[in-house]
Each structure stands twice: as C-alpha cells, then as structure tokens.
Amino acid sequence: MPELPEVETVRRQLARSLVGCIITGVERVEPSMLLGVTPATLAEELAGARVLGVCRRGKFLLVKLHDEAYLTLHLGMTGQILLTATCTGWGPHDRFVLTLSSEAEPQPDGGPQDDEDHSEPCAHPGREEHKEAPAVLVFRDIRKFGRVEFGRGAPPARVTRLGRDAWVGEWGPEYVAACLHGRRAPIKAVLLDQRHLAGIGNIYADEILFAASLSPLREAGGLNEEEVERLAVAIRERLTEGVRARGCSISDFVDTQERPGTYQEVLQAYGRGGEPCARCNGTLQRTVVAGRGTSYCPACQR
DNA sequence: CCCAAGTCCTGGTTGC
DNA sequence: TGCAACCAGGACTTGG
C-alpha cells in the first residue's frame, strides 16, 4: 500500500526527474479516476506545461505547474508511478500516461522549493536515477482507487483539508493529545484519520502502535501523557524508517524504476497475526479495527 | 464467495 | 428538544 513513506520515495524520484521538464501530451487517461476536469480539458491544460516542483502532503503528490496549476495524484492502494525513457506499449492497468521532454535550459534549482511541509531535500544526491529526462510517466493501478486531479490557484480541497503531515509536519505531543482528546474511537481509527495527521495507513498504523506498545483497541481519549509522548515518537520514527527503507513492498508497491522497498523485511506487527511477538515472545493476534485488518500483541501492547 | 484497504458518503448515536 | 460532532459501516475496485 502506498502510504507516506512509499509516496515520499516516489516524490523524491519525481522531483529529481521531472522538475524543469515540459509535459508534451496525455497519451491515456482513465476517466473514472479523473477529478475536477474532463479528459479533453486535462489534455489541453497539460500540453506544454512546465513542471516547477513535486511536493507531497500525506499520501498525495502535488505536481506544481506554471500558472498556479496543480496536478494532484493519489496512488490509492495499488497505484504505481513509473518513469521510462522509451515507450514500450501500454498495459491493461496503465490508467494515466504522460509524455515529457526535457528543457534546454536546466532549472537553477532542481528540487521543490516549497513553503510547506511536503518536501525534504533529497537525501541521496549521489544515487543513480534518471540523469536524462524520462520520456514517459505511467500511472499504473490494478484497482481503480487512484485519483488524478487538476486545478488552478490552490491545491484541491481533498489536500487542503488534510491534517499536518505525519512525517515532516510541525507538530508535537501536544498536537497529538489535542487530536485524541475526548475521542471514544479506538486509537488506531484516529491514526488512520487523515484530518488529524496525514500519511498513516494500515501498515504503518500497526507498526507505530507496536513500537509504542499501545493496543490499537485503546480508546483514543484515554491515553495518558506518557503514552501520547510514546505514540508521537513512534509515529516519527516508524515513518522515518519507512522512508529510509524506500517503502514497504509487502503488496504491489514499487518505485519509479520498478524497484521494491525493503520495509516489509522489518515489519513487527502488520500481517503477522498468529506469529510470535519479537518483543515478548507472546502470540500476535489478528482482529478488525476501524474496518481494517489489525495485528497486535495483546501481551505487550496495552 | 470473501478478502485486501484508500477515501468518500450516509445514517445512526452521543452529548452539550 | 435541537443540533453538531462523532463514529461505524458501506460503496467503490479487481485479483488472489
């Protein structure tokens, strides 16, 4: 599942490869995944548009174009963004395809220089990605949960109504405490609610709660100060680890070069129901919380 | 047939 | 009682 670390992995690659490029055309678009514009208008708007930056907020990617335009991408649960130098023909799940050309004049500054929280300087400047501008961007999505949105003036409402970015956002234990205050919903449901902290999905929610030794079933408003502090630390740490691992490829996720991440190798809770707990050697239990499959250790997650 | 799960939407409940 | 905030559950999607 593309959650914050997976989307950040893709953002870094897109920022490196796309900034300064000109979109030359829209080769393909799945209308049911398109929001805010018709396919015809989208093609018209994007043709000739220069990419100014690539930002992220929660699980959303924002491709900033000239004239205050934003192309907003959400990967849903099986979405992939692939960059290739040549077109080798489309597959049945290629829902949105852009062609690109590099500019003669390189941008003075490659990275996204955005006001907001979504961008981190690229941490691996030496890594080989595309030196050349890619010719094609493919948004591949087996299920059609992904979304492509175009708008002008400001990012779309589905982005502006998000809470603070769960990784690079400015927040601390007090903010988390305020989010949880008075809530009777289970703590995991609040972690998954993008209006509070944006970017946490089902995998990282389970990992964060394991790291914080908190039961996903706990009533959110019932956490004490010390537990909130542990939770806040676990959120930053698990997401940082996820980004460092270049994402979790337990299901379909791959980066723009079709390479998997490695976070699936260090999962302690997600998907491990019935297996021994790495911390206390108890048995992880599987249940359903907030309508989502949930694994946790009843012995040491309290 | 059920399961996986992102986001949006609806309808019922809670509490001031 | 009225109303808003809150919360659970369903729709959507397709391959395993």
Side-chain angles (χ1 to χ4, degrees):
Chain A
M1 264 68 61
E3 303 178 27
L4 190 153
E6 291 73 33
V7 178
E8 175 63 16
T9 299
V10 170
R11 186 202 67 78
R12 290 176 174 190
Q13 296 179 314
L14 294 181
R16 178 123 21 121
S17 298
L18 296 192
V19 172
C21 285
I22 300 285
I23 297 171
T24 52
V26 177
E27 284 297 315
R28 164 177 287 211
V29 59
E30 164 60 48
S32 68
M33 289 170 57
L34 194 56
L35 296 168
V37 275
T38 63
T41 307
L42 181 72
E44 200 174 301
E45 291 277 8
L46 291 183
R50 180 209 288 268
V51 177
L52 300 182
V54 184
C55 306
R56 180 189 58 73
R57 176 92 170 266
K59 304 171 193 172
F60 288 79
L61 282 168
L62 293 104
V63 180
K64 200 172 178 182
L65 307 171
H66 61 46
D67 283 347
E68 299 285 299
Y70 289 90
L71 180 67
T72 304
L73 305 173
H74 193 288
L75 300 180
M77 64 181 283
T78 55
Q80 306 173 346
I81 303 280
L82 310 174
L83 294 176
T84 58
T86 55
C87 162
T88 54
W90 320 130
H93 304 123
D94 295 347
R95 313 292 185 183
F96 180 60
V97 179
L98 293 179
T99 54
L100 301 144
S101 74
S102 60
E103 265 274 271
E105 297 284 316
Q107 289 293 88
D109 175 15
Q113 44 205 330
D114 241 62
D115 31 318
E116 295 210 43
D117 34 343
H118 1 107
S119 58
E120 264 264 308
C122 284
H124 313 285
R127 198 174 262 288
E128 325 295 315
E129 308 287 353
H130 275 284
K131 297 296 186 211
E132 306 286 312
V136 184
L137 180 154
V138 175
F139 184 170
R140 184 172 292 170
D141 190 11
I142 296 174
R143 301 185 202 152
K144 298 175 181 171
F145 277 26
R147 291 293 179 266
V148 175
E149 184 161 12
F150 179 88
R152 217 178 272 288
R158 48 175 38 74
V159 171
T160 56
R161 68 168 165 245
L162 292 173
R164 303 188 192 172
D165 189 87
W167 187 48
V168 295
E170 276 192 29
W171 54 268
E174 334 71 43
Y175 178 75
V176 177
C179 292
L180 305 184
H181 180 74
R183 303 274 174 158
R184 305 189 60 186
I187 178 70
K188 179 169 173 176
V190 178
L191 286 182
L192 292 174
D193 188 337
Q194 307 296 301
R195 294 171 299 181
H196 298 117
L197 285 174
I200 300 167
N202 203 36
I203 296 172
Y204 290 92
D206 276 9
E207 294 304 304
I208 286 163
L209 289 166
F210 181 88
S213 298
L214 291 170
S215 166
L217 304 165
R218 279 281 295 281
E219 196 170 289
L223 269 61
N224 65 34
E225 205 172 319
E226 186 265 330
E227 290 169 329
V228 171
E229 168 73 28
R230 263 194 278 147
L231 180 62
V233 169
I235 292 169
R236 299 272 193 196
E237 286 186 351
R238 288 302 89 208
L239 295 176
T240 297
E241 281 309 303
V243 171
R244 195 169 288 157
R246 305 173 56 79
C248 179
S249 296
I250 200 166
S251 62
D252 313 79
F253 174 73
V254 290
D255 69 10
T256 64
Q257 308 304 302
E258 295 197 80
R259 290 175 304 196
T262 62
Y263 196 74
Q264 67 281 2
E265 296 166 14
V266 297
L267 291 175
Q268 313 240 60
Y270 179 84
R272 299 196 59 223
E275 297 181 33
C277 170
R279 186 165 44 213
C280 76
N281 212 30
T283 302
L284 297 178
Q285 188 171 327
R286 196 199 118 86
T287 182
V288 174
V289 180
R292 298 292 173 250
T294 298
S295 299
Y296 73 108
C297 179
C300 66
Q301 286 179 256
R302 305 247 145 217

